[in-house]
Amino acid sequence: MKNIAYILSLFLLLFSGQMWADPLQDFYVGNQAYEIEQYEDAIKAYERILSAGEESAEVYFNLGNSYYRTSQLAPAILNYERALSLEPDNEDIITNLRLANLRVVDNLEAKPEFLVQKMWKDWVGSNHSGGWGIWAVVLLWLALAAGAAFLFVGNGVVKRIGFFSAIGFAVVSLLFLTVGLQKRSLEQSSKQGIVFTQNAYVKASPDQTAQDLLILHEGVKVRILRTTGNWTEIKISDANVGDIAGWLDQSAIQEI
């Protein structure tokens, strides 16, 4: 029955002459294809949406699921990471990304962090810069409203509440603005990528004949430092061996 519904939906969209015109239609087609385990068709539908310049966490998440179902580990992790960048606190994305990373050959252990440092980092990363900015603006408006109550309402209790509320909202707004700016700086400076080849040789210099420093495998996440010609300088951090920087062929990596 699901197969019949999928075929009918494709026929109706094609008959209407608008099958490729509307990303929402492609999203519907992709979802229908995924439901009946036609994962390659689902991938094509979701990729068309992205090619049209549209993106959302849900599209990236569904595309990641489709790649995962076809055992394409690197594209699955890449799309989960892109989904997570749009919705950092989405538990479904976090869970599926964690499951996908369990299949990565390279087991890079994060360096231990102080509890306070980790809590601050997790809090900053729990929202994107635009989200922090929205909260800062909302709280600023609340501070202005509380300030207006302090200035123009004659009741003594209301004036006191307005005064302290205005100060509190303003301080928290400034805090959220600071966090948003820090998150924005991290988004712009901390480029990351996913290795897309089964065996990627990290070179000591941007030269095919240079010394091999180590081998990375499909799906591992690295930090991108810069790109020169056909080479990308990357850095990995591991609790056991420390930080290692080297060069990868640009074709072996895709930026998140």
Side-chain angles (χ1 to χ4, degrees), residues 112-150:
E113 297 177 309
F114 292 112
L115 179 61
V116 175
Q117 181 184 12
K118 184 179 186 306
M119 289 175 63
W120 174 261
K121 182 179 178 181
D122 290 343
W123 188 53
V124 172
S126 66
N127 205 343
H128 52 80
S129 57
W132 287 120
I134 292 172
W135 275 109
V137 171
V138 170
L139 288 165
L140 179 60
W141 278 106
L142 290 174
L144 292 174
F150 167 72

Side-chain angles (χ1 to χ4, degrees), residues 85 113 117-130 132 177-193 222-225 255-256:
S85 69
E113 297 177 309
Q117 181 184 12
K118 184 179 186 306
M119 289 175 63
W120 174 261
K121 182 179 178 181
D122 290 343
W123 188 53
V124 172
S126 66
N127 205 343
H128 52 80
S129 57
W132 287 120
L177 178 61
T178 302
V179 173
L181 291 174
Q182 182 177 351
K183 178 64 174 177
R184 180 63 175 172
S185 177
L186 289 172
E187 289 171 349
Q188 292 178 335
S189 62
S190 300
K191 292 183 179 179
Q192 295 179 310
V222 299
R223 181 181 174 191
I224 297 175
L225 300 179
E255 186 176 335
I256 296 174

